Amino acid sequence: MSRYLKVLKLFWSASISAEMEYRINFIIAAISSLGNLGGSMFGLFLFYRTGYTFTGWSWEAALIVLGIFTLLQGFSETFLAPNLNRIVRHVQEGTLDFILLKPIRSQFWLSCHTLSPWGISDIIFGLLIIAYAGTKLNLGIDKYLLTIFPLGCGFIILYSLWFILGATSIWFVKIYNITEVLRGLLEAGRYPIIAYPVGYRFFFTFVVPVAFLTTIPAQAMLGEIQFTWFLGSGFLALLLFFISTQFWRFALRFYTSASS
């Protein structure tokens, strides 16, 4: 474990040093994030401006969902997109060969090699929205602590889904459209799952588990989550992570390398 932590430190320090050569990008990313957040809040406001509310969700409670969604978006831009989108390029250019020869697990290398600071603005904005809504709802520190587990499970679920799609590049080299489809489906997490018709709720809970990414952590913060859903988050996170590791090992059986 200590060896992997040292490698991770080297990876991220090198990535940040490289990215800091273009510091103006951070300002551009922050402005872009602010614009996207403003659009999301305006869309949510359109539902509530006439007094309409999602069943059981006040304006502040819905803001918590949006804040968690923004936080996950920042997590994706900081950790997932810079790494997992490159799996396709490694397969195309044959550089995956060199990764497989390194004395560390290839999944770790592919998942953690690069850190992009341009998603930090989304993480900050997401935390600010959650803090604002929590203050309005008079939530105590115990409620925030209760959210850590399902939110951490949400991070693992999102990573696992993204990595599984990235692993399919072993067979289908160009999968950029697939990752964009996943991004589009995850956009549903901007709003509480109750906002959608019954059929969509089933789909976004049991097929593409969007509800486990945003709605369930928000319910945990509000103290409205059932214990079965709490356990379900942990079980789903462990299951998908296990599937992602096994699927990657299975996919490598079909990788013939650039020299074959």
Side-chain angles (χ1 to χ4, degrees):
M1 180 61 71
S2 60
R3 180 166 64 108
Y4 278 83
L5 291 175
K6 291 178 181 178
V7 171
L8 190 64
K9 181 180 178 181
L10 292 173
F11 280 166
W12 287 1
S13 60
S15 298
I16 293 175
S17 298
E19 294 290 350
M20 285 298 100
E21 295 179 5
Y22 309 97
R23 298 178 185 178
I24 191 67
N25 287 353
F26 183 79
I27 299 176
I28 296 174
I31 294 174
S32 177
S33 298
L34 191 60
N36 290 334
L37 180 59
S40 298
M41 293 187 68
F42 179 73
L44 187 62
F45 170 75
L46 291 178
F47 287 102
Y48 284 85
R49 67 187 180 87
T50 58
Y52 171 83
T53 60
F54 299 131
T55 304
W57 292 85
S58 64
W59 164 255
E60 290 79 11
L63 279 181
I64 291 178
V65 176
L66 180 58
I68 293 175
F69 172 82
T70 306
L71 184 63
L72 286 170
Q73 197 170 43
F75 169 75
S76 299
E77 294 300 324
T78 303
F79 299 100
L80 302 186
N83 291 293
L84 303 186
N85 283 350
R86 293 185 180 182
I87 298 178
V88 179
R89 191 178 71 184
H90 288 308
V91 175
Q92 286 178 326
E93 299 177 359
T95 53
L96 183 60
D97 294 10
F98 302 108
I99 297 172
L100 296 176
L101 291 173
K102 296 183 185 298
I104 58 174
R105 293 186 61 179
S106 57
Q107 184 171 353
F108 174 83
W109 198 102
L110 291 168
S111 302
C112 304
H113 182 265
T114 304
L115 174 71
S116 175
W118 314 135
I120 294 177
S121 55
D122 275 327
I123 294 176
I124 294 173
F125 291 146
L127 291 174
L128 289 175
I129 293 174
I130 293 171
Y132 168 80
T135 301
K136 290 292 185 181
L137 292 170
N138 298 315
L139 299 181
I141 188 65
D142 58 317
K143 300 296 184 183
Y144 290 99
L145 294 177
L146 192 61
T147 312
I148 294 176
F149 178 76
L151 185 59
C153 292
F155 289 147
I156 296 173
I157 291 169
L158 182 58
Y159 160 78
S160 301
L161 291 174
W162 204 311
F163 189 83
I164 290 171
L165 285 179
T168 61
S169 62
I170 298 294
W171 297 280
F172 313 106
V173 178
K174 296 181 179 180
I175 62 164
Y176 295 108
N177 290 336
I178 296 179
T179 56
E180 289 303 316
V181 169
L182 177 62
R183 284 175 179 266
L185 290 173
L186 296 179
E187 289 290 323
R190 293 177 185 270
Y191 309 114
I193 201 67
I194 197 69
Y196 302 98
V198 176
Y200 288 94
R201 286 182 227 166
F202 180 87
F203 179 80
F204 287 128
T205 302
F206 300 105
V207 181
V208 180
V210 174
F212 288 92
L213 301 180
T214 57
T215 300
I216 290 178
Q219 288 178 324
M221 183 177 292
L222 296 170
E224 300 174 355
I225 189 174
Q226 296 179 4
F227 190 66
T228 52
W229 289 108
F230 200 84
L231 289 179
S233 294
F235 175 77
L236 183 62
L238 289 175
L239 177 63
L240 286 177
F241 183 77
F242 175 77
I243 290 175
S244 71
T245 58
Q246 296 303 311
F247 185 72
W248 176 244
R249 292 176 182 177
F250 173 74
L252 288 179
R253 298 178 186 176
F254 297 86
Y255 179 65
T256 55
S257 85
S259 59
S260 299

